[in-house]
Amino acid sequence: MQQLAVQTNYNLKDEIKAYWSARAETFDEQPGHEIFSDAERAAWHALIRRHLGDGEGRKALDLASGTGVVSHLLDDLGFSVTGLDWAESMLERARAKAKARGRSIRFLMGDAEATMEPDDSHDVITNRHLVWTLVDPAAAFREWHRVLKPGGRLLIVDGDFVNPGIVARIAGRLATVLARLGISDKRPAHGPGKALAETHRSILSRVYFSEGARAEAVAALLREAGFSQVTVDTNMRAIHRAQRKNFSLLKGLERATQHRYAICAVK
């Protein structure tokens, strides 16, 4: 039975890797992934500073770094950044972006749940929209605790993408009605597409947080992994306000009313 469970987890992780590899082509074209305004960039900088402070040369490990969006934010603030991702197509775009912008960010292939990084080697670990995909978050959090230096900080940015609030439910239903009437909601054109959207739903139904990655559940697992000073920050208003200009009215309402958060924890 244990062998079967390991094989099942391996297959699911393989699916997740393939999914994000396929998403790489249009990832930076989608609002909410790449940053499209100075106002949004400033809002992200403020969030990072609020929990991590300025970099001052400290070593940061950006897990599931994708095309390097958060890695660049950290680099802006003076961190010495290594981005880790397991999708080669994401890494190709991240490296090209860093080269075009003249940044010295390192991008390496690796598994965020088993980083292979040395003990006590990083001052900061960050990730955005990774936790909801984790097959074994408790093991991942222990791994991140191991990699951080004593006193190092972990910053998670994530959300519950399973249980929409009432405003989001109403917005979603209204969008469906408008679509049936042939009225466009003017949503971004570069989403995952129907086939990948189905894959996304399938993956989401089988990961650990299949019922939604609620902040309190994530925080509890972080404490069990040995982290202290675990704080939950749900003040994402400045980021959502800046992003709203690139979303339709309904999509902006949906995003702003989702359970999205940042969690900071200390080793």
Side-chain angles (χ1 to χ4, degrees), residues 191-220:
K194 185 176 180 180
L196 282 176
E198 289 293 336
T199 302
H200 179 277
R201 282 190 286 271
S202 175
I203 289 170
L204 185 54
S205 71
R206 289 176 289 146
V207 293
Y208 181 91
F209 289 113
S210 60
E211 297 182 3
R214 304 297 294 183
E216 57 271 19
V218 175

Side-chain angles (χ1 to χ4, degrees), residues 113 134-143 208-209 221-222 224-225:
E113 295 186 62
L134 294 174
V135 173
D136 187 350
F141 295 168
R142 290 193 296 270
E143 167 73 356
Y208 181 91
F209 289 113
L221 286 176
L222 288 169
E224 289 176 14

Side-chain angles (χ1 to χ4, degrees), residues 15-157:
E15 285 184 51
I16 294 169
K17 180 178 180 179
Y19 171 79
W20 287 114
S21 295
R23 290 297 306 274
E25 184 177 356
T26 59
F27 188 86
D28 282 340
E29 298 172 2
Q30 191 172 9
H33 290 166
E34 181 56 282
I35 294 171
F36 290 96
S37 70
D38 290 340
E40 183 182 353
R41 189 171 301 280
W44 279 108
H45 284 158
L47 176 71
I48 294 169
R49 278 197 176 102
R50 190 154 72 234
H51 296 288
L52 305 180
D54 285 311
E56 299 177 338
R58 288 181 293 156
K59 293 180 64 176
L61 180 64
D62 183 27
L63 297 174
S65 54
T67 62
V69 177
V70 174
S71 297
H72 278 267
L73 292 170
L74 293 165
D75 186 76
D76 291 342
L77 297 178
F79 288 92
S80 175
V81 186
T82 298
L84 194 73
D85 202 282
W86 63 0
E88 182 58 40
S89 51
M90 288 285 192
L91 290 168
E92 288 173 0
R93 286 163 175 78
R95 291 170 183 142
K97 188 187 299 184
K99 183 177 180 180
R101 294 179 177 175
R103 305 295 185 93
S104 58
I105 305 169
R106 293 195 315 154
F107 289 103
L108 306 176
M109 179 173 284
D111 183 351
E113 295 186 62
T115 66
M116 305 297 290
E117 292 292 299
D119 293 353
D120 306 328
S121 56
H122 291 275
D123 300 287
V124 163
I125 292 177
T126 60
N127 56 78
R128 182 182 68 163
H129 301 167
L130 166 64
V131 166
W132 75 265
T133 73
L134 294 174
V135 173
D136 187 350
F141 295 168
R142 290 193 296 270
E143 167 73 356
W144 304 350
H145 188 274
R146 178 189 68 78
V147 170
L148 276 173
K149 296 177 182 179
R153 289 179 173 262
L154 167 68
L155 180 62
I156 291 170
V157 178

Side-chain angles (χ1 to χ4, degrees), residues 177-196:
V177 170
L178 291 175
R180 287 174 180 168
L181 295 173
I183 302 172
S184 173
D185 183 36
K186 297 183 179 178
R187 286 171 178 258
H190 301 291
K194 185 176 180 180
L196 282 176

